[in-house]
Amino acid sequence: MSEIFIRKQEIEDGKTDELREWIDDLYGEAVADEQGVKEIWGEESLHTISLFIEHAADANYFVWYLEADSMEQLIEAREASTHPLHEVEDAMMGEVLVDPTEAGEFEPLMHGVSADRPDQFSIQQLSDPSR
């Protein structure tokens, strides 16, 4: 069974639109270098990544959902990575987040995975780049 990880990080005041722009850039890079993304995901044992913005009364938050065979493998591969997509991700986090190292603490309660999931890479942009 795969492992899941959720990360919630406060976005600096006034930087939410900038975060959207960074994500649009990351999406473009991922589409342009699909093979590189497949290699990263293979090294990290990553299956799923979903990114959200939570709009709360006190602030906006960047929320990540990750699913991988091994979070330990994912973290080790990510720390050792020199791939340009990771450099863009690091720059983005440093630019728009209050504390890029903040991970929050989440207690997983349930996770289900279909055995019939397709075994292919697919990425979908859900944000509106013109926003």
Side-chain angles (χ1 to χ4, degrees):
M1 171 70 78
S2 57
E3 296 180 20
I4 56 171
F5 177 76
I6 296 175
R7 188 173 197 169
K8 178 178 175 179
Q9 300 165 289
E10 186 177 349
I11 301 168
E12 285 190 37
D13 190 38
K15 299 268 185 161
T16 302
D17 285 337
E18 187 175 341
L19 173 62
R20 287 187 187 98
E21 292 170 11
W22 278 101
I23 296 300
D24 291 341
D25 290 345
L26 279 171
Y27 174 79
E29 293 289 330
V31 169
D33 187 13
E34 185 175 319
Q35 187 57 41
V37 173
K38 286 180 182 180
E39 290 170 11
I40 290 170
W41 284 34
E43 292 168 4
E44 294 179 348
S45 78
L46 186 64
H47 297 299
T48 305
I49 181 170
S50 298
L51 307 174
F52 305 87
I53 295 173
E54 176 187 6
H55 303 282
D58 64 329
N60 288 334
Y61 295 89
F62 185 40
V63 181
W64 307 58
Y65 166 84
L66 302 174
E67 176 191 10
D69 286 336
S70 165
M71 281 302 143
E72 183 177 334
Q73 179 180 340
L74 184 144
I75 291 167
E76 288 175 1
R78 176 59 178 89
E79 288 174 349
S81 176
T82 58
H83 195 281
L85 279 170
H86 284 141
E87 292 175 14
V88 172
E89 181 183 289
D90 290 343
M92 172 195 73
M93 291 173 63
E95 181 65 29
V96 303
L97 300 178
V98 170
D99 180 0
T101 63
E102 175 61 36
E105 190 171 317
F106 296 87
E107 176 186 355
L109 298 177
M110 186 177 82
H111 178 63
V113 178
S114 169
D116 297 328
R117 303 191 339 186
D119 187 23
Q120 61 186 6
F121 171 77
S122 177
I123 187 167
Q124 179 182 13
Q125 184 174 15
L126 300 174
S127 62
D128 179 2
S130 64
R131 189 171 182 191

